[in-house]
Amino acid sequence: MAEPGKDTVERDDKTGTETTGHVWDGIRELDTPLPRWWLWTFYATIIWALIYTIAYPAWPMITRATSGVLGYSSRMELEEKLAEAEAAIKPIEEKIAAASFDEIKADESLSRFAKAGGAAIFRTYCAQCHGTGAAGTLGHYPNLRDDDWLWGGTPEAIETTITHGIRWAGDEETRSNDMPAFGDDEILSPAEI
């Protein structure tokens, strides 16, 4: 039993700091308090988190999340930005829909827009077989970058191949090969073709 008034806490000999009592491989764990700046930063982050969860949607519930007092929604913001983007490109899409292939090719801005849209559609529907660089696969899928087109390389011939496909049952105009018909309105619309 310790005598009254005597220090019963174990202290480090060199620093005079109290120890926790834990010793590992001869090393005593010191009970050093955290720096004040660290504690105040920690408390500030707790206060910030509470304010944030009240102001913005934060807590998930069964069918929705809390809306927050500011009424902000990242989904609503995304929908607004998508609507703005669609409104911005609508006039260009209308011009393309009303123009012939030669008119689109002659107008640099329409041509650039059509090529970008075509590239996106190619990456979605065609790159799996023809490759991302359109080089195809020897013996299976034709190279679309060379001048040797199996079914013709004119825009009209390409449109026919994409619309009717190759070896596609039930289509009178189909050709003999492995390409599916993308023009049945289930895969690509006429505008996308």
Side-chain angles (χ1 to χ4, degrees):
M1 183 168 187
E3 293 181 34
K6 292 244 180 173
D7 190 26
T8 58
V9 177
E10 185 178 345
R11 296 186 176 274
D12 180 49
D13 295 334
K14 295 189 181 203
T15 63
T17 306
E18 294 180 9
T19 66
T20 62
H22 300 136
V23 178
W24 185 263
D25 279 347
I27 301 171
R28 293 184 179 343
E29 180 182 359
L30 300 180
D31 190 13
T32 307
L34 293 169
R36 287 277 177 225
W37 68 266
W38 193 96
L39 284 173
W40 286 112
T41 304
F42 178 66
Y43 297 145
T45 60
I46 293 172
I47 292 168
W48 171 254
L50 291 173
I51 292 170
Y52 190 89
T53 58
I54 292 169
Y56 291 98
W59 296 100
M61 297 163 71
I62 294 175
T63 59
R64 60 180 184 83
T66 56
S67 60
V69 296
L70 297 180
Y72 171 80
S73 168
S74 59
R75 289 177 192 230
M76 188 170 51
E77 181 181 6
L78 174 64
E79 288 173 6
E80 289 171 1
K81 288 188 178 193
L82 286 174
E84 288 174 14
E86 287 176 12
I89 65 171
K90 188 172 177 133
I92 300 171
E93 287 176 338
E94 289 172 354
K95 281 183 184 178
I96 287 178
S100 70
F101 180 77
D102 291 329
E103 291 172 334
I104 294 170
K105 196 173 176 181
D107 186 330
E108 187 179 330
S109 66
L110 290 181
S111 179
R112 187 173 45 249
F113 185 84
K115 285 178 184 178
I121 291 170
F122 181 89
R123 286 189 300 270
T124 303
Y125 296 103
C126 310
Q128 292 82 357
C129 297
H130 293 285
T132 55
T137 306
L138 186 61
H140 268 315
Y141 305 106
N143 182 352
L144 303 178
R145 299 179 70 184
D146 62 11
D147 293 330
D148 184 21
W149 287 73
L150 297 175
W151 309 109
T154 66
E156 295 79 17
I158 294 169
E159 180 182 5
T160 300
T161 302
I162 292 171
T163 303
H164 299 288
I166 310 297
R167 274 198 198 154
W168 198 254
D171 192 332
E172 300 287 324
E173 297 181 49
T174 194
R175 295 171 171 158
S176 177
N177 208 317
D178 294 324
M179 184 169 162
F182 285 96
D184 57 7
D185 281 336
E186 291 180 22
I187 301 175
L188 292 177
S189 68
E192 289 174 319
I193 290 173

